[in-house]
Structures are given as structure tokens and as C-alpha cells.
Amino acid sequence: MAVGIFDSGLGGLTVLDAVSKRLPDVEFVYFADSAHAPYGVRTADDIYNLTCAAVERLWAEGCDLVILACNTASAAALRRMQESWLPADKRVLGVFVPLIEALTERNWGDNSPPREVGVKHVALFATPATVASRAFQRELAFRAIGVDVEAQACGGVVDAIEEGDMILAEALVRSHVDALKRKMPHPQAAVLGCTHYPLMQDTFQQALGPEVSVFSQAGLVAESLADYLTRHPDMTGAGHTAFLTTGDPKRVSDRATQVLRRQIAFQAA
Ligand code: DGL
């Protein structure tokens, strides 16, 4: 049994990279729904249906535990999947909670009532669907009080990264940061609420300025998965690393190889 890692495209590779470094003995099966990316401009129903189909494909690979390394799916589909669809012997985990726990200075699973935290002004950069869901603000409100969140929907960035047009992606990031700063001139922290955005982390940091702490998910998700697997060792075991895509395997492999700077070979899902 391997652990499944799902994203609409290449962004989840930032999470895969961190989890496979943190857990070198665990086998991971990565699923990129490249034919349907980007998810961020789709309706919640569409995202739910596509995410369920991808997770079922990962179950067929023996992955009883699947990480949605996609904020858009975590925001728009995860709760509905957990409440009404997921069988008792399977687990699907999202990427929001580890990040919000870090931002609100909590340890894993600390469910004590919301309290004041150090950070008061937070910029959230995410896809249009994630911003529209308000899932980040909802999860934050369970844990913290008095935090002002300004969300910026970063249209176009995922498409540009998927196309390999990093110059366009950089220009779009700068314009989205400018737009955010017009609404919130001095954020203390910025959350990269899309797993594609760590690929542009330097551009975000430069545009935001050195005084802004930029939170991204990969390392936090890796720590939280390590902790989860210590408590649920039965959710992993023997299995085979694989990279599956609904897109063109050659094209996706070339882009993934550039992103991870190591040879990656995708096969048709
Ligand atoms: N990496 C996905 C996320 O974290 C991108 C979503 C998309 O395909 O628009 O939200």
C-alpha cells in the first residue's frame, strides 16, 4: 500500500518533494489531473466530481490514504467527501489544516477554543475557487480570533505554470501582490494557498518585501503526514511509486522533470 498524492497538475509536486524527503521509506503514487487543470476556475460540484474520480483511481493503486495536495480540492470538495462519500477504511486528508495550525501557533490536533495569536493581518493568495469557498477563513476562525484576512484570487498563475510560461507567471504574481497591497498595505504574513505557488515563492517574497513572513505548505504537510503515519502505521506499507496523469504523459513528464530537477516519468492514468 502506498500513499496517494493528488493535484490538478504540477503544484502537488511541491508537496510530493517534501513528503518523500521527510519519509524516504514510504512509497507515493502521484496523480495529476492535467487534462482538467486548472481546477481553480471550476464550480464546486465539478471540483468535487473530478476529485472523487481521481481519489478512486488512487484507491485502485492501493492507496488507502490520499493527500489532496491541492487547496482548491481541499477547500471545495474535502468536507463533502468526508461527510457523505468516503468509506470507513479509507482516509483523505487536505493541506489547509497544517498551515493554519502553524499560522496560529498550534500543535497538531489542538482543538482548544479560538484565541488571540501573534499575527493580525494575513494576506491569502489562492485560486478563485479557494477564495470563493472561504474555507481558509472558516478553518482560521475555529482557531484564532482578531485576525484580519485579505484574500487575493490569483487568476492565471496556475495556467501559466502548467504551460511552463514562468515569465507570465512572474508578471501575474507581481500584479496580484500589487492588487493585494492596495487592499492591505502592510500584511504581516502571507499564505501561499495553492500548491503551485511555492514554485514562485521568490517572486512572492520579493514583491511582498522582506518584512512579510511567507507561509507555504509543503514542509508543514510533510511534518503532519509523518505524525499521522506514526499514529496510523497501517495506512502505509509495501507499494510502488508511480506518476499518473490524465494529460499527455510525455509533456507532463518534461514539465515535472523541470520542476523537480530530477527525471520523472508519468504514465497515462
Ligand atoms: N495546486 C492547486 C491548488 O493548490 C491548483 C488548483 C488549480 O488547478 O487551479 O489549489
Side-chain angles (χ1 to χ4, degrees):
M1 197 198 310
V3 175
I5 306 282
F6 161 75
D7 185 36
S8 60
L10 301 166
L13 293 173
T14 58
V15 173
L16 175 83
D17 196 38
V19 293
S20 42
K21 282 179 181 144
R22 177 68 181 78
L23 298 159
D25 298 329
V26 176
E27 303 280 350
F28 293 98
V29 180
Y30 187 86
F31 183 104
D33 194 9
S34 320
H36 302 109
Y39 276 21
V41 290
R42 292 178 178 275
T43 62
D45 276 349
D46 213 4
I47 295 165
Y48 173 80
N49 290 328
L50 289 169
T51 305
C52 290
V55 169
E56 277 176 341
R57 181 66 186 82
L58 284 164
W59 289 343
E61 291 293 312
C63 303
D64 287 351
L65 169 63
V66 174
I67 311 292
L68 299 186
C70 175
N71 289 268
T72 307
S74 304
L78 180 58
R79 207 150 75 149
R80 188 168 157 197
M81 290 165 83
Q82 287 172 333
E83 282 171 3
S84 60
W85 179 76
L86 202 62
D89 59 335
K90 311 281 192 227
R91 288 285 175 277
V92 177
L93 304 175
V95 284
F96 263 62
V97 169
L99 181 119
I100 291 173
E101 286 179 343
L103 192 70
T104 56
E105 307 149 24
R106 283 183 182 239
N107 291 324
W108 192 93
D110 170 357
N111 289 325
S112 57
R115 55 178 181 257
E116 288 220 18
V117 293
V119 64
K120 300 281 180 231
H121 304 286
V122 177
L124 168 68
F125 296 95
T127 65
T130 300
V131 169
S133 75
R134 296 190 60 81
F136 179 86
Q137 288 89 330
R138 188 184 64 226
E139 290 293 337
L140 187 68
F142 289 141
R143 297 168 177 84
I145 44 177
V147 183
D148 180 19
V149 177
E150 194 63 65
Q152 178 65 33
C154 298
V157 176
V158 168
D159 313 55
I161 293 173
E162 288 290 318
E163 288 302 317
D165 191 343
M166 300 318 254
I167 295 179
L168 175 61
E170 221 179 284
L172 287 169
V173 166
R174 288 187 195 284
S175 87
H176 288 306
V177 170
D178 282 350
L180 182 283
K181 280 183 158 176
R182 284 196 289 277
K183 297 180 283 185
M184 178 183 272
H186 301 293
Q188 290 166 281
V191 170
L192 303 189
C194 168
T195 53
H196 282 70
Y197 300 170
L199 300 171
M200 308 303 299
Q201 182 145 351
D202 292 350
T203 309
F204 273 104
Q205 185 75 68
Q206 260 177 24
L208 284 160
E211 65 289 354
V212 179
S213 315
V214 175
F215 285 74
S216 77
Q217 288 160 323
L220 300 167
V221 172
E223 278 317 312
S224 125
L225 177 61
D227 186 62
Y228 182 87
L229 290 179
T230 313
R231 288 176 292 109
H232 301 88
D234 53 314
M235 292 311 278
T236 181
H240 298 291
T241 294
F243 292 86
L244 308 175
T245 179
T246 53
D248 170 11
K250 159 95 180 68
R251 199 169 166 280
V252 178
S253 301
D254 289 348
R255 292 284 306 115
T257 299
Q258 280 170 1
V259 165
L260 286 188
R261 297 196 182 92
R262 66 184 166 91
Q263 197 64 43
I264 302 289
F266 272 85
Q267 60 198 73

PDB file of all heavy atoms in Angstrom, residues 102-133:
ATOM      1  N   ALA A 102       0.091  26.107  11.906  1.00  0.00           N
ATOM      2  CA  ALA A 102       1.382  26.804  12.008  1.00  0.00           C
ATOM      3  C   ALA A 102       1.167  28.305  12.189  1.00  0.00           C
ATOM      4  O   ALA A 102       1.799  28.949  13.030  1.00  0.00           O
ATOM      5  CB  ALA A 102       2.227  26.531  10.769  1.00  0.00           C
ATOM      6  N   LEU A 103       0.227  28.831  11.421  1.00  0.00           N
ATOM      7  CA  LEU A 103      -0.050  30.270  11.470  1.00  0.00           C
ATOM      8  C   LEU A 103      -0.598  30.677  12.831  1.00  0.00           C
ATOM      9  O   LEU A 103      -0.365  31.780  13.310  1.00  0.00           O
ATOM     10  CB  LEU A 103      -1.068  30.580  10.367  1.00  0.00           C
ATOM     11  CG  LEU A 103      -1.346  31.998   9.999  1.00  0.00           C
ATOM     12  CD1 LEU A 103      -0.147  32.600   9.278  1.00  0.00           C
ATOM     13  CD2 LEU A 103      -2.574  32.063   9.064  1.00  0.00           C
ATOM     14  N   THR A 104      -1.350  29.779  13.467  1.00  0.00           N
ATOM     15  CA  THR A 104      -1.999  30.112  14.736  1.00  0.00           C
ATOM     16  C   THR A 104      -1.261  29.486  15.929  1.00  0.00           C
ATOM     17  O   THR A 104      -1.829  29.372  17.014  1.00  0.00           O
ATOM     18  CB  THR A 104      -3.479  29.658  14.731  1.00  0.00           C
ATOM     19  OG1 THR A 104      -3.531  28.252  14.450  1.00  0.00           O
ATOM     20  CG2 THR A 104      -4.288  30.390  13.689  1.00  0.00           C
ATOM     21  N   GLU A 105      -0.009  29.082  15.696  1.00  0.00           N
ATOM     22  CA  GLU A 105       0.892  28.614  16.769  1.00  0.00           C
ATOM     23  C   GLU A 105       0.306  27.436  17.541  1.00  0.00           C
ATOM     24  O   GLU A 105       0.398  27.374  18.768  1.00  0.00           O
ATOM     25  CB  GLU A 105       1.179  29.775  17.748  1.00  0.00           C
ATOM     26  CG  GLU A 105       1.678  31.037  17.075  1.00  0.00           C
ATOM     27  CD  GLU A 105       1.263  32.307  17.808  1.00  0.00           C
ATOM     28  OE1 GLU A 105       1.002  32.229  19.018  1.00  0.00           O
ATOM     29  OE2 GLU A 105       1.197  33.349  17.153  1.00  0.00           O
ATOM     30  N   ARG A 106      -0.308  26.508  16.819  1.00  0.00           N
ATOM     31  CA  ARG A 106      -0.900  25.333  17.485  1.00  0.00           C
ATOM     32  C   ARG A 106      -0.155  24.074  17.131  1.00  0.00           C
ATOM     33  O   ARG A 106       0.360  23.952  16.023  1.00  0.00           O
ATOM     34  CB  ARG A 106      -2.336  25.129  17.017  1.00  0.00           C
ATOM     35  CG  ARG A 106      -3.269  26.089  17.663  1.00  0.00           C
ATOM     36  CD  ARG A 106      -4.676  25.837  17.241  1.00  0.00           C
ATOM     37  NE  ARG A 106      -5.474  26.858  17.883  1.00  0.00           N
ATOM     38  CZ  ARG A 106      -6.479  26.616  18.712  1.00  0.00           C
ATOM     39  NH1 ARG A 106      -6.862  25.396  18.957  1.00  0.00           N
ATOM     40  NH2 ARG A 106      -7.124  27.594  19.288  1.00  0.00           N
ATOM     41  N   ASN A 107      -0.197  23.109  18.037  1.00  0.00           N
ATOM     42  CA  ASN A 107       0.303  21.784  17.719  1.00  0.00           C
ATOM     43  C   ASN A 107      -0.795  21.003  17.023  1.00  0.00           C
ATOM     44  O   ASN A 107      -1.973  21.355  17.103  1.00  0.00           O
ATOM     45  CB  ASN A 107       0.722  21.037  18.993  1.00  0.00           C
ATOM     46  CG  ASN A 107       1.942  21.670  19.598  1.00  0.00           C
ATOM     47  OD1 ASN A 107       2.829  22.145  18.872  1.00  0.00           O
ATOM     48  ND2 ASN A 107       1.990  21.712  20.918  1.00  0.00           N
ATOM     49  N   TRP A 108      -0.391  19.898  16.388  1.00  0.00           N
ATOM     50  CA  TRP A 108      -1.337  19.083  15.639  1.00  0.00           C
ATOM     51  C   TRP A 108      -2.524  18.686  16.513  1.00  0.00           C
ATOM     52  O   TRP A 108      -2.348  18.251  17.661  1.00  0.00           O
ATOM     53  CB  TRP A 108      -0.633  17.818  15.129  1.00  0.00           C
ATOM     54  CG  TRP A 108      -1.483  17.114  14.124  1.00  0.00           C
ATOM     55  CD1 TRP A 108      -1.436  17.278  12.782  1.00  0.00           C
ATOM     56  CD2 TRP A 108      -2.529  16.179  14.389  1.00  0.00           C
ATOM     57  NE1 TRP A 108      -2.391  16.509  12.185  1.00  0.00           N
ATOM     58  CE2 TRP A 108      -3.088  15.816  13.137  1.00  0.00           C
ATOM     59  CE3 TRP A 108      -3.076  15.615  15.540  1.00  0.00           C
ATOM     60  CZ2 TRP A 108      -4.134  14.921  13.008  1.00  0.00           C
ATOM     61  CZ3 TRP A 108      -4.134  14.728  15.408  1.00  0.00           C
ATOM     62  CH2 TRP A 108      -4.637  14.385  14.160  1.00  0.00           C
ATOM     63  N   GLY A 109      -3.727  18.885  15.961  1.00  0.00           N
ATOM     64  CA  GLY A 109      -4.927  18.399  16.632  1.00  0.00           C
ATOM     65  C   GLY A 109      -5.308  19.153  17.900  1.00  0.00           C
ATOM     66  O   GLY A 109      -6.155  18.684  18.656  1.00  0.00           O
ATOM     67  N   ASP A 110      -4.683  20.317  18.131  1.00  0.00           N
ATOM     68  CA  ASP A 110      -5.063  21.119  19.298  1.00  0.00           C
ATOM     69  C   ASP A 110      -6.409  21.776  18.970  1.00  0.00           C
ATOM     70  O   ASP A 110      -6.486  22.707  18.168  1.00  0.00           O
ATOM     71  CB  ASP A 110      -3.970  22.167  19.554  1.00  0.00           C
ATOM     72  CG  ASP A 110      -4.377  23.202  20.595  1.00  0.00           C
ATOM     73  OD1 ASP A 110      -5.520  23.147  21.089  1.00  0.00           O
ATOM     74  OD2 ASP A 110      -3.538  24.063  20.915  1.00  0.00           O
ATOM     75  N   ASN A 111      -7.470  21.232  19.584  1.00  0.00           N
ATOM     76  CA  ASN A 111      -8.814  21.721  19.261  1.00  0.00           C
ATOM     77  C   ASN A 111      -9.386  22.629  20.337  1.00  0.00           C
ATOM     78  O   ASN A 111     -10.598  22.743  20.497  1.00  0.00           O
ATOM     79  CB  ASN A 111      -9.769  20.533  19.027  1.00  0.00           C
ATOM     80  CG  ASN A 111      -9.446  19.830  17.723  1.00  0.00           C
ATOM     81  OD1 ASN A 111      -9.047  20.475  16.754  1.00  0.00           O
ATOM     82  ND2 ASN A 111      -9.571  18.514  17.698  1.00  0.00           N
ATOM     83  N   SER A 112      -8.488  23.280  21.100  1.00  0.00           N
ATOM     84  CA  SER A 112      -8.977  24.181  22.142  1.00  0.00           C
ATOM     85  C   SER A 112      -9.652  25.397  21.483  1.00  0.00           C
ATOM     86  O   SER A 112      -9.451  25.643  20.288  1.00  0.00           O
ATOM     87  CB  SER A 112      -7.820  24.604  23.043  1.00  0.00           C
ATOM     88  OG  SER A 112      -6.813  25.202  22.270  1.00  0.00           O
ATOM     89  N   PRO A 113     -10.451  26.144  22.250  1.00  0.00           N
ATOM     90  CA  PRO A 113     -11.216  27.254  21.652  1.00  0.00           C
ATOM     91  C   PRO A 113     -10.304  28.284  20.985  1.00  0.00           C
ATOM     92  O   PRO A 113      -9.117  28.381  21.312  1.00  0.00           O
ATOM     93  CB  PRO A 113     -11.927  27.873  22.859  1.00  0.00           C
ATOM     94  CG  PRO A 113     -11.893  26.846  23.921  1.00  0.00           C
ATOM     95  CD  PRO A 113     -10.702  25.993  23.681  1.00  0.00           C
ATOM     96  N   PRO A 114     -10.866  29.054  20.046  1.00  0.00           N
ATOM     97  CA  PRO A 114     -10.064  30.069  19.361  1.00  0.00           C
ATOM     98  C   PRO A 114      -9.481  31.083  20.330  1.00  0.00           C
ATOM     99  O   PRO A 114     -10.102  31.413  21.344  1.00  0.00           O
ATOM    100  CB  PRO A 114     -11.071  30.735  18.414  1.00  0.00           C
ATOM    101  CG  PRO A 114     -12.399  30.187  18.722  1.00  0.00           C
ATOM    102  CD  PRO A 114     -12.244  28.989  19.580  1.00  0.00           C
ATOM    103  N   ARG A 115      -8.282  31.554  20.038  1.00  0.00           N
ATOM    104  CA  ARG A 115      -7.633  32.529  20.924  1.00  0.00           C
ATOM    105  C   ARG A 115      -6.858  33.550  20.095  1.00  0.00           C
ATOM    106  O   ARG A 115      -6.653  33.373  18.901  1.00  0.00           O
ATOM    107  CB  ARG A 115      -6.707  31.810  21.903  1.00  0.00           C
ATOM    108  CG  ARG A 115      -5.673  30.934  21.229  1.00  0.00           C
ATOM    109  CD  ARG A 115      -4.750  30.270  22.247  1.00  0.00           C
ATOM    110  NE  ARG A 115      -3.762  29.448  21.579  1.00  0.00           N
ATOM    111  CZ  ARG A 115      -3.808  28.118  21.504  1.00  0.00           C
ATOM    112  NH1 ARG A 115      -4.801  27.456  22.071  1.00  0.00           N
ATOM    113  NH2 ARG A 115      -2.860  27.460  20.871  1.00  0.00           N
ATOM    114  N   GLU A 116      -6.405  34.608  20.776  1.00  0.00           N
ATOM    115  CA  GLU A 116      -5.606  35.635  20.091  1.00  0.00           C
ATOM    116  C   GLU A 116      -4.258  35.056  19.727  1.00  0.00           C
ATOM    117  O   GLU A 116      -3.679  34.285  20.507  1.00  0.00           O
ATOM    118  CB  GLU A 116      -5.409  36.838  21.015  1.00  0.00           C
ATOM    119  CG  GLU A 116      -6.670  37.611  21.177  1.00  0.00           C
ATOM    120  CD  GLU A 116      -6.450  39.125  21.187  1.00  0.00           C
ATOM    121  OE1 GLU A 116      -5.377  39.586  20.740  1.00  0.00           O
ATOM    122  OE2 GLU A 116      -7.369  39.804  21.655  1.00  0.00           O
ATOM    123  N   VAL A 117      -3.768  35.415  18.555  1.00  0.00           N
ATOM    124  CA  VAL A 117      -2.457  34.924  18.119  1.00  0.00           C
ATOM    125  C   VAL A 117      -1.606  36.120  17.700  1.00  0.00           C
ATOM    126  O   VAL A 117      -2.117  37.239  17.584  1.00  0.00           O
ATOM    127  CB  VAL A 117      -2.579  33.916  16.954  1.00  0.00           C
ATOM    128  CG1 VAL A 117      -3.257  32.626  17.402  1.00  0.00           C
ATOM    129  CG2 VAL A 117      -3.311  34.509  15.753  1.00  0.00           C
ATOM    130  N   GLY A 118      -0.314  35.874  17.491  1.00  0.00           N
ATOM    131  CA  GLY A 118       0.616  36.972  17.194  1.00  0.00           C
ATOM    132  C   GLY A 118       0.298  37.704  15.899  1.00  0.00           C
ATOM    133  O   GLY A 118       0.385  38.922  15.821  1.00  0.00           O
ATOM    134  N   VAL A 119      -0.115  36.948  14.890  1.00  0.00           N
ATOM    135  CA  VAL A 119      -0.306  37.561  13.588  1.00  0.00           C
ATOM    136  C   VAL A 119      -1.727  38.135  13.475  1.00  0.00           C
ATOM    137  O   VAL A 119      -2.691  37.514  13.910  1.00  0.00           O
ATOM    138  CB  VAL A 119       0.032  36.525  12.491  1.00  0.00           C
ATOM    139  CG1 VAL A 119      -0.907  35.357  12.503  1.00  0.00           C
ATOM    140  CG2 VAL A 119       0.088  37.149  11.128  1.00  0.00           C
ATOM    141  N   LYS A 120      -1.815  39.381  12.983  1.00  0.00           N
ATOM    142  CA  LYS A 120      -3.134  40.050  12.946  1.00  0.00           C
ATOM    143  C   LYS A 120      -3.599  40.353  11.520  1.00  0.00           C
ATOM    144  O   LYS A 120      -4.795  40.502  11.277  1.00  0.00           O
ATOM    145  CB  LYS A 120      -3.065  41.401  13.684  1.00  0.00           C
ATOM    146  CG  LYS A 120      -2.667  41.282  15.138  1.00  0.00           C
ATOM    147  CD  LYS A 120      -3.846  40.844  15.980  1.00  0.00           C
ATOM    148  CE  LYS A 120      -3.460  40.723  17.435  1.00  0.00           C
ATOM    149  NZ  LYS A 120      -3.840  39.449  18.029  1.00  0.00           N
ATOM    150  N   HIS A 121      -2.654  40.505  10.590  1.00  0.00           N
ATOM    151  CA  HIS A 121      -3.012  40.879   9.216  1.00  0.00           C
ATOM    152  C   HIS A 121      -2.401  39.872   8.262  1.00  0.00           C
ATOM    153  O   HIS A 121      -1.185  39.823   8.093  1.00  0.00           O
ATOM    154  CB  HIS A 121      -2.506  42.287   8.894  1.00  0.00           C
ATOM    155  CG  HIS A 121      -2.998  43.305   9.861  1.00  0.00           C
ATOM    156  ND1 HIS A 121      -4.301  43.754   9.853  1.00  0.00           N
ATOM    157  CD2 HIS A 121      -2.384  43.918  10.901  1.00  0.00           C
ATOM    158  CE1 HIS A 121      -4.456  44.613  10.841  1.00  0.00           C
ATOM    159  NE2 HIS A 121      -3.316  44.727  11.502  1.00  0.00           N
ATOM    160  N   VAL A 122      -3.276  39.069   7.655  1.00  0.00           N
ATOM    161  CA  VAL A 122      -2.811  37.964   6.815  1.00  0.00           C
ATOM    162  C   VAL A 122      -3.302  38.144   5.385  1.00  0.00           C
ATOM    163  O   VAL A 122      -4.495  38.373   5.150  1.00  0.00           O
ATOM    164  CB  VAL A 122      -3.325  36.605   7.365  1.00  0.00           C
ATOM    165  CG1 VAL A 122      -2.920  35.457   6.454  1.00  0.00           C
ATOM    166  CG2 VAL A 122      -2.809  36.369   8.770  1.00  0.00           C
ATOM    167  N   ALA A 123      -2.363  38.015   4.452  1.00  0.00           N
ATOM    168  CA  ALA A 123      -2.729  38.016   3.025  1.00  0.00           C
ATOM    169  C   ALA A 123      -2.833  36.568   2.575  1.00  0.00           C
ATOM    170  O   ALA A 123      -1.935  35.775   2.837  1.00  0.00           O
ATOM    171  CB  ALA A 123      -1.647  38.734   2.222  1.00  0.00           C
ATOM    172  N   LEU A 124      -3.937  36.247   1.915  1.00  0.00           N
ATOM    173  CA  LEU A 124      -4.112  34.896   1.382  1.00  0.00           C
ATOM    174  C   LEU A 124      -4.091  34.966  -0.138  1.00  0.00           C
ATOM    175  O   LEU A 124      -4.888  35.685  -0.735  1.00  0.00           O
ATOM    176  CB  LEU A 124      -5.462  34.316   1.843  1.00  0.00           C
ATOM    177  CG  LEU A 124      -5.914  33.032   1.134  1.00  0.00           C
ATOM    178  CD1 LEU A 124      -5.012  31.854   1.494  1.00  0.00           C
ATOM    179  CD2 LEU A 124      -7.368  32.698   1.475  1.00  0.00           C
ATOM    180  N   PHE A 125      -3.164  34.230  -0.739  1.00  0.00           N
ATOM    181  CA  PHE A 125      -3.115  34.127  -2.201  1.00  0.00           C
ATOM    182  C   PHE A 125      -3.581  32.723  -2.564  1.00  0.00           C
ATOM    183  O   PHE A 125      -3.020  31.737  -2.067  1.00  0.00           O
ATOM    184  CB  PHE A 125      -1.681  34.350  -2.707  1.00  0.00           C
ATOM    185  CG  PHE A 125      -1.175  35.738  -2.426  1.00  0.00           C
ATOM    186  CD1 PHE A 125      -0.409  36.007  -1.290  1.00  0.00           C
ATOM    187  CD2 PHE A 125      -1.492  36.782  -3.288  1.00  0.00           C
ATOM    188  CE1 PHE A 125       0.042  37.290  -1.020  1.00  0.00           C
ATOM    189  CE2 PHE A 125      -1.050  38.072  -3.023  1.00  0.00           C
ATOM    190  CZ  PHE A 125      -0.282  38.331  -1.887  1.00  0.00           C
ATOM    191  N   ALA A 126      -4.598  32.629  -3.407  1.00  0.00           N
ATOM    192  CA  ALA A 126      -5.154  31.312  -3.738  1.00  0.00           C
ATOM    193  C   ALA A 126      -5.898  31.400  -5.064  1.00  0.00           C
ATOM    194  O   ALA A 126      -5.996  32.470  -5.675  1.00  0.00           O
ATOM    195  CB  ALA A 126      -6.088  30.852  -2.615  1.00  0.00           C
ATOM    196  N   THR A 127      -6.427  30.250  -5.490  1.00  0.00           N
ATOM    197  CA  THR A 127      -7.172  30.243  -6.752  1.00  0.00           C
ATOM    198  C   THR A 127      -8.557  30.884  -6.523  1.00  0.00           C
ATOM    199  O   THR A 127      -9.031  30.970  -5.375  1.00  0.00           O
ATOM    200  CB  THR A 127      -7.376  28.806  -7.267  1.00  0.00           C
ATOM    201  OG1 THR A 127      -8.212  28.108  -6.356  1.00  0.00           O
ATOM    202  CG2 THR A 127      -6.052  28.083  -7.433  1.00  0.00           C
ATOM    203  N   PRO A 128      -9.223  31.286  -7.617  1.00  0.00           N
ATOM    204  CA  PRO A 128     -10.558  31.876  -7.446  1.00  0.00           C
ATOM    205  C   PRO A 128     -11.518  30.957  -6.674  1.00  0.00           C
ATOM    206  O   PRO A 128     -12.273  31.426  -5.816  1.00  0.00           O
ATOM    207  CB  PRO A 128     -11.024  32.094  -8.901  1.00  0.00           C
ATOM    208  CG  PRO A 128      -9.736  32.294  -9.675  1.00  0.00           C
ATOM    209  CD  PRO A 128      -8.729  31.385  -9.018  1.00  0.00           C
ATOM    210  N   ALA A 129     -11.483  29.637  -6.941  1.00  0.00           N
ATOM    211  CA  ALA A 129     -12.420  28.726  -6.250  1.00  0.00           C
ATOM    212  C   ALA A 129     -12.098  28.627  -4.757  1.00  0.00           C
ATOM    213  O   ALA A 129     -13.003  28.564  -3.926  1.00  0.00           O
ATOM    214  CB  ALA A 129     -12.379  27.336  -6.889  1.00  0.00           C
ATOM    215  N   THR A 130     -10.811  28.615  -4.409  1.00  0.00           N
ATOM    216  CA  THR A 130     -10.436  28.547  -2.990  1.00  0.00           C
ATOM    217  C   THR A 130     -10.883  29.820  -2.274  1.00  0.00           C
ATOM    218  O   THR A 130     -11.452  29.769  -1.176  1.00  0.00           O
ATOM    219  CB  THR A 130      -8.913  28.351  -2.838  1.00  0.00           C
ATOM    220  OG1 THR A 130      -8.552  27.128  -3.478  1.00  0.00           O
ATOM    221  CG2 THR A 130      -8.501  28.299  -1.376  1.00  0.00           C
ATOM    222  N   VAL A 131     -10.653  30.967  -2.908  1.00  0.00           N
ATOM    223  CA  VAL A 131     -11.056  32.238  -2.292  1.00  0.00           C
ATOM    224  C   VAL A 131     -12.578  32.262  -2.125  1.00  0.00           C
ATOM    225  O   VAL A 131     -13.091  32.589  -1.057  1.00  0.00           O
ATOM    226  CB  VAL A 131     -10.541  33.436  -3.138  1.00  0.00           C
ATOM    227  CG1 VAL A 131     -11.171  34.744  -2.664  1.00  0.00           C
ATOM    228  CG2 VAL A 131      -9.017  33.511  -3.067  1.00  0.00           C
ATOM    229  N   ALA A 132     -13.304  31.839  -3.172  1.00  0.00           N
ATOM    230  CA  ALA A 132     -14.776  31.876  -3.110  1.00  0.00           C
ATOM    231  C   ALA A 132     -15.322  30.959  -2.023  1.00  0.00           C
ATOM    232  O   ALA A 132     -16.346  31.249  -1.414  1.00  0.00           O
ATOM    233  CB  ALA A 132     -15.358  31.486  -4.471  1.00  0.00           C
ATOM    234  N   SER A 133     -14.629  29.861  -1.741  1.00  0.00           N
ATOM    235  CA  SER A 133     -15.130  28.897  -0.748  1.00  0.00           C
ATOM    236  C   SER A 133     -15.078  29.448   0.683  1.00  0.00           C
ATOM    237  O   SER A 133     -15.790  28.972   1.555  1.00  0.00           O
ATOM    238  CB  SER A 133     -14.292  27.614  -0.788  1.00  0.00           C
ATOM    239  OG  SER A 133     -13.032  27.837  -0.177  1.00  0.00           O
TER     240      SER A 133
END
